[in-house]
Amino acid sequence: MFKDLKAIKGKYYIQRLIDEGEHEHQDFKFQVSDVHKIAHSLSAFANNDGGRLLVGVKDNGTIAGLRSEEDLYVLEFAAQLYCRPAVELEMTTFLCEGGAVVLRAVIPRAQERPVRCREASGIWQAYYRVADENIVAHPLMVRAWERSASGMEGELLSVSEPESAMLRHLSTVQGATPEDLMRAVRLSLRSTENLIVRLAAMGLVTFRHTPSGFVMALNVD
């Protein structure tokens, strides 16, 4: 059934990973059959700090094992043709209890963001990993990635007074929406969003996800 797979012994290693549960850097997949859905995961991990998929593992952590080598082909197909730029995968198979085979697919953080994936509708959308979910990336986050990738923020330029006001405001709150910042800097929404994008591309502002959506926050890393 798995003539092309050379699984290595790893039941204790895989169990340790499963014991972590699903989180920002790990997701369980019983099988890989929907190329669009798996592309969401690849985009989300690549746009965040990377992660791994454990294929052949149910949502509750039960090891079911790979059902077919087709899972590998769909995963590779999604990474190469349904992600732009393509996502490089490191795939290793592990032999677990009872002869079950689990695939570990490691997705590195993308060197060039955003990584977009093709939706069933044909549009290309960027995702971001938040806890154990794949979330559509905020449009301003995507614009900041694009600006960083273009090399426009290669040098730390001087910060304007409106940008200073925005940073001062963010230093006093846990998070703010573009509308909140618009009122703080007393500019139009469009001008405020342009400032957010520039400061985010410079690494001074970051995006934080809350139950109500993304907010902007001061980057203290």
Side-chain angles (χ1 to χ4, degrees):
M1 182 179 179
F2 299 115
K3 63 181 186 304
D4 296 330
L5 296 180
K6 295 181 179 179
I8 61 178
K9 293 181 180 179
K11 67 177 182 179
Y12 298 114
Y13 167 69
I14 291 297
Q15 190 58 55
R16 286 198 299 273
L17 295 184
I18 291 173
D19 289 344
E20 294 179 10
E22 294 181 302
H23 51 70
E24 183 177 338
H25 302 294
Q26 180 166 280
D27 201 3
F28 301 157
K29 296 294 181 185
F30 172 52
Q31 63 181 21
V32 180
S33 57
D34 188 319
V35 69
H36 298 289
K37 287 184 178 180
I38 202 64
H40 291 174
S41 295
L42 300 181
S43 168
F45 281 130
N47 285 328
N48 196 332
D49 289 322
R52 59 178 170 261
L53 297 170
L54 297 182
V55 184
V57 178
K58 296 182 179 180
D59 288 342
N60 63 5
T62 301
I63 295 176
L66 284 175
R67 298 171 59 184
S68 168
E69 289 184 12
E70 186 70 19
D71 288 7
L72 281 75
Y73 304 143
V74 174
L75 191 53
E76 291 178 332
F77 192 66
Q80 294 300 314
L81 298 180
Y82 280 74
C83 290
R84 190 166 60 191
V87 173
E88 297 299 323
L89 299 175
E90 177 190 322
M91 297 197 290
T92 310
T93 50
F94 294 86
L95 187 62
C96 299
E97 195 72 36
V101 173
V102 170
L103 168 68
R104 183 197 65 189
V106 176
I107 302 98
R109 175 182 171 134
Q111 294 183 353
E112 181 181 331
R113 298 184 294 177
V115 172
R116 292 182 171 89
C117 61
R118 184 176 179 177
E119 302 281 16
S121 64
I123 68 170
W124 291 81
Q125 186 81 268
Y127 282 78
Y128 193 73
R129 186 73 175 177
V130 177
D132 61 350
E133 294 185 76
N134 303 321
I135 306 293
V136 175
H138 193 287
L140 298 184
M141 180 187 290
V142 174
R143 284 178 55 191
W145 290 335
E146 290 173 334
R147 182 160 184 155
S148 294
S150 72
M152 295 177 67
E153 299 301 333
E155 300 180 9
L156 183 62
L157 304 178
S158 60
V159 177
S160 66
E161 177 52 38
E163 289 169 333
S164 295
M166 182 177 293
L167 294 174
R168 287 195 298 270
H169 180 75
L170 288 175
S171 69
T172 66
V173 297
Q174 294 298 314
T177 65
E179 292 76 15
D180 295 333
L181 294 174
M182 176 185 70
R183 290 187 287 270
V185 300
R186 298 181 179 180
L187 293 175
S188 68
L189 181 59
R190 181 176 181 179
S191 295
T192 301
E193 289 178 342
N194 289 338
L195 295 187
I196 293 170
V197 168
R198 183 171 183 270
L199 292 175
M202 293 167 67
L204 299 178
V205 168
T206 190
F207 295 82
R208 182 181 301 155
H209 193 265
T210 69
S212 59
F214 282 99
V215 295
M216 286 74 246
L218 199 63
N219 192 349
V220 295
D221 292 340

